[in-house]
PDB file of all heavy atoms in Angstrom:
ATOM      1  N   ASP A 216      -9.201   0.691 -54.590  1.00  0.00           N
ATOM      2  CA  ASP A 216     -10.523   0.478 -54.008  1.00  0.00           C
ATOM      3  C   ASP A 216     -10.838   1.457 -52.879  1.00  0.00           C
ATOM      4  O   ASP A 216     -11.864   1.307 -52.198  1.00  0.00           O
ATOM      5  CB  ASP A 216     -10.716  -0.958 -53.501  1.00  0.00           C
ATOM      6  CG  ASP A 216     -12.193  -1.368 -53.566  1.00  0.00           C
ATOM      7  OD1 ASP A 216     -12.879  -0.965 -54.521  1.00  0.00           O
ATOM      8  OD2 ASP A 216     -12.662  -2.072 -52.647  1.00  0.00           O
ATOM      9  N   ASP A 217      -9.988   2.458 -52.664  1.00  0.00           N
ATOM     10  CA  ASP A 217     -10.323   3.527 -51.748  1.00  0.00           C
ATOM     11  C   ASP A 217     -11.496   4.299 -52.333  1.00  0.00           C
ATOM     12  O   ASP A 217     -11.559   4.514 -53.547  1.00  0.00           O
ATOM     13  CB  ASP A 217      -9.116   4.439 -51.560  1.00  0.00           C
ATOM     14  CG  ASP A 217      -9.306   5.431 -50.432  1.00  0.00           C
ATOM     15  OD1 ASP A 217     -10.299   5.322 -49.688  1.00  0.00           O
ATOM     16  OD2 ASP A 217      -8.455   6.328 -50.302  1.00  0.00           O
ATOM     17  N   LYS A 218     -12.422   4.703 -51.464  1.00  0.00           N
ATOM     18  CA  LYS A 218     -13.637   5.366 -51.931  1.00  0.00           C
ATOM     19  C   LYS A 218     -13.846   6.667 -51.170  1.00  0.00           C
ATOM     20  O   LYS A 218     -13.571   6.771 -49.978  1.00  0.00           O
ATOM     21  CB  LYS A 218     -14.849   4.443 -51.717  1.00  0.00           C
ATOM     22  CG  LYS A 218     -14.701   3.110 -52.431  1.00  0.00           C
ATOM     23  CD  LYS A 218     -15.706   2.086 -51.964  1.00  0.00           C
ATOM     24  CE  LYS A 218     -15.414   0.724 -52.587  1.00  0.00           C
ATOM     25  NZ  LYS A 218     -16.310  -0.338 -52.098  1.00  0.00           N
ATOM     26  N   ARG A 219     -14.390   7.662 -51.863  1.00  0.00           N
ATOM     27  CA  ARG A 219     -14.728   8.950 -51.271  1.00  0.00           C
ATOM     28  C   ARG A 219     -16.146   9.323 -51.693  1.00  0.00           C
ATOM     29  O   ARG A 219     -16.538   9.102 -52.833  1.00  0.00           O
ATOM     30  CB  ARG A 219     -13.755  10.040 -51.722  1.00  0.00           C
ATOM     31  CG  ARG A 219     -12.327   9.808 -51.277  1.00  0.00           C
ATOM     32  CD  ARG A 219     -12.175  10.070 -49.788  1.00  0.00           C
ATOM     33  NE  ARG A 219     -10.783   9.978 -49.360  1.00  0.00           N
ATOM     34  CZ  ARG A 219     -10.246   8.896 -48.841  1.00  0.00           C
ATOM     35  NH1 ARG A 219     -10.975   7.811 -48.694  1.00  0.00           N
ATOM     36  NH2 ARG A 219      -8.976   8.905 -48.464  1.00  0.00           N
ATOM     37  N   TYR A 220     -16.874   9.945 -50.762  1.00  0.00           N
ATOM     38  CA  TYR A 220     -18.249  10.334 -51.040  1.00  0.00           C
ATOM     39  C   TYR A 220     -18.493  11.778 -50.633  1.00  0.00           C
ATOM     40  O   TYR A 220     -17.914  12.273 -49.670  1.00  0.00           O
ATOM     41  CB  TYR A 220     -19.228   9.441 -50.262  1.00  0.00           C
ATOM     42  CG  TYR A 220     -19.192   7.987 -50.644  1.00  0.00           C
ATOM     43  CD1 TYR A 220     -18.516   7.050 -49.880  1.00  0.00           C
ATOM     44  CD2 TYR A 220     -19.868   7.548 -51.787  1.00  0.00           C
ATOM     45  CE1 TYR A 220     -18.492   5.703 -50.225  1.00  0.00           C
ATOM     46  CE2 TYR A 220     -19.859   6.205 -52.136  1.00  0.00           C
ATOM     47  CZ  TYR A 220     -19.160   5.297 -51.359  1.00  0.00           C
ATOM     48  OH  TYR A 220     -19.141   3.964 -51.715  1.00  0.00           O
ATOM     49  N   SER A 221     -19.401  12.424 -51.355  1.00  0.00           N
ATOM     50  CA  SER A 221     -19.850  13.748 -50.963  1.00  0.00           C
ATOM     51  C   SER A 221     -20.472  13.659 -49.575  1.00  0.00           C
ATOM     52  O   SER A 221     -21.352  12.822 -49.334  1.00  0.00           O
ATOM     53  CB  SER A 221     -20.894  14.260 -51.951  1.00  0.00           C
ATOM     54  OG  SER A 221     -21.567  15.372 -51.437  1.00  0.00           O
ATOM     55  N   PRO A 222     -20.020  14.504 -48.651  1.00  0.00           N
ATOM     56  CA  PRO A 222     -20.570  14.432 -47.283  1.00  0.00           C
ATOM     57  C   PRO A 222     -22.087  14.577 -47.234  1.00  0.00           C
ATOM     58  O   PRO A 222     -22.745  13.927 -46.412  1.00  0.00           O
ATOM     59  CB  PRO A 222     -19.873  15.601 -46.570  1.00  0.00           C
ATOM     60  CG  PRO A 222     -18.599  15.799 -47.327  1.00  0.00           C
ATOM     61  CD  PRO A 222     -18.946  15.503 -48.751  1.00  0.00           C
ATOM     62  N   SER A 223     -22.640  15.395 -48.110  1.00  0.00           N
ATOM     63  CA  SER A 223     -24.080  15.652 -48.057  1.00  0.00           C
ATOM     64  C   SER A 223     -24.908  14.481 -48.584  1.00  0.00           C
ATOM     65  O   SER A 223     -26.107  14.400 -48.326  1.00  0.00           O
ATOM     66  CB  SER A 223     -24.418  16.920 -48.850  1.00  0.00           C
ATOM     67  OG  SER A 223     -24.070  16.759 -50.206  1.00  0.00           O
ATOM     68  N   LEU A 224     -24.283  13.575 -49.317  1.00  0.00           N
ATOM     69  CA  LEU A 224     -25.021  12.452 -49.919  1.00  0.00           C
ATOM     70  C   LEU A 224     -24.471  11.095 -49.494  1.00  0.00           C
ATOM     71  O   LEU A 224     -24.951  10.060 -49.966  1.00  0.00           O
ATOM     72  CB  LEU A 224     -24.976  12.554 -51.443  1.00  0.00           C
ATOM     73  CG  LEU A 224     -25.710  13.752 -52.043  1.00  0.00           C
ATOM     74  CD1 LEU A 224     -25.341  13.932 -53.504  1.00  0.00           C
ATOM     75  CD2 LEU A 224     -27.233  13.556 -51.913  1.00  0.00           C
ATOM     76  N   LYS A 225     -23.510  11.101 -48.612  1.00  0.00           N
ATOM     77  CA  LYS A 225     -22.783   9.881 -48.274  1.00  0.00           C
ATOM     78  C   LYS A 225     -23.693   8.729 -47.846  1.00  0.00           C
ATOM     79  O   LYS A 225     -23.475   7.578 -48.221  1.00  0.00           O
ATOM     80  CB  LYS A 225     -21.779  10.171 -47.156  1.00  0.00           C
ATOM     81  CG  LYS A 225     -20.905   8.999 -46.798  1.00  0.00           C
ATOM     82  CD  LYS A 225     -19.860   9.391 -45.760  1.00  0.00           C
ATOM     83  CE  LYS A 225     -18.943   8.210 -45.433  1.00  0.00           C
ATOM     84  NZ  LYS A 225     -17.894   8.593 -44.451  1.00  0.00           N
ATOM     85  N   SER A 226     -24.729   9.045 -47.091  1.00  0.00           N
ATOM     86  CA  SER A 226     -25.595   7.986 -46.573  1.00  0.00           C
ATOM     87  C   SER A 226     -26.403   7.299 -47.672  1.00  0.00           C
ATOM     88  O   SER A 226     -26.952   6.217 -47.463  1.00  0.00           O
ATOM     89  CB  SER A 226     -26.547   8.569 -45.524  1.00  0.00           C
ATOM     90  OG  SER A 226     -27.408   9.528 -46.115  1.00  0.00           O
ATOM     91  N   ARG A 227     -26.484   7.902 -48.828  1.00  0.00           N
ATOM     92  CA  ARG A 227     -27.312   7.356 -49.920  1.00  0.00           C
ATOM     93  C   ARG A 227     -26.495   6.723 -51.044  1.00  0.00           C
ATOM     94  O   ARG A 227     -27.065   6.114 -51.941  1.00  0.00           O
ATOM     95  CB  ARG A 227     -28.180   8.469 -50.500  1.00  0.00           C
ATOM     96  CG  ARG A 227     -29.148   9.105 -49.528  1.00  0.00           C
ATOM     97  CD  ARG A 227     -29.844  10.301 -50.152  1.00  0.00           C
ATOM     98  NE  ARG A 227     -30.477   9.934 -51.399  1.00  0.00           N
ATOM     99  CZ  ARG A 227     -30.770  10.788 -52.375  1.00  0.00           C
ATOM    100  NH1 ARG A 227     -30.485  12.078 -52.235  1.00  0.00           N
ATOM    101  NH2 ARG A 227     -31.363  10.375 -53.478  1.00  0.00           N
ATOM    102  N   LEU A 228     -25.192   6.893 -51.023  1.00  0.00           N
ATOM    103  CA  LEU A 228     -24.360   6.499 -52.157  1.00  0.00           C
ATOM    104  C   LEU A 228     -23.499   5.277 -51.862  1.00  0.00           C
ATOM    105  O   LEU A 228     -23.005   5.096 -50.746  1.00  0.00           O
ATOM    106  CB  LEU A 228     -23.435   7.650 -52.551  1.00  0.00           C
ATOM    107  CG  LEU A 228     -24.082   8.930 -53.070  1.00  0.00           C
ATOM    108  CD1 LEU A 228     -23.024  10.012 -53.245  1.00  0.00           C
ATOM    109  CD2 LEU A 228     -24.817   8.678 -54.362  1.00  0.00           C
ATOM    110  N   THR A 229     -23.308   4.471 -52.902  1.00  0.00           N
ATOM    111  CA  THR A 229     -22.330   3.384 -52.864  1.00  0.00           C
ATOM    112  C   THR A 229     -21.651   3.325 -54.226  1.00  0.00           C
ATOM    113  O   THR A 229     -22.339   3.321 -55.263  1.00  0.00           O
ATOM    114  CB  THR A 229     -22.985   2.034 -52.572  1.00  0.00           C
ATOM    115  OG1 THR A 229     -23.682   2.086 -51.324  1.00  0.00           O
ATOM    116  CG2 THR A 229     -21.919   0.940 -52.486  1.00  0.00           C
ATOM    117  N   ILE A 230     -20.332   3.295 -54.248  1.00  0.00           N
ATOM    118  CA  ILE A 230     -19.573   3.180 -55.482  1.00  0.00           C
ATOM    119  C   ILE A 230     -18.732   1.910 -55.427  1.00  0.00           C
ATOM    120  O   ILE A 230     -18.130   1.600 -54.399  1.00  0.00           O
ATOM    121  CB  ILE A 230     -18.697   4.428 -55.733  1.00  0.00           C
ATOM    122  CG1 ILE A 230     -18.096   4.407 -57.145  1.00  0.00           C
ATOM    123  CG2 ILE A 230     -17.628   4.579 -54.663  1.00  0.00           C
ATOM    124  CD1 ILE A 230     -17.439   5.743 -57.535  1.00  0.00           C
TER     125      ILE A 230
END
Side-chain angles (χ1 to χ4, degrees):
Chain A
D216 209 37
D217 190 8
K218 302 166 187 176
R219 297 287 185 264
Y220 296 101
S221 166
S223 62
L224 294 167
K225 184 176 182 178
S226 63
R227 299 173 54 203
L228 296 173
T229 302
I230 190 169

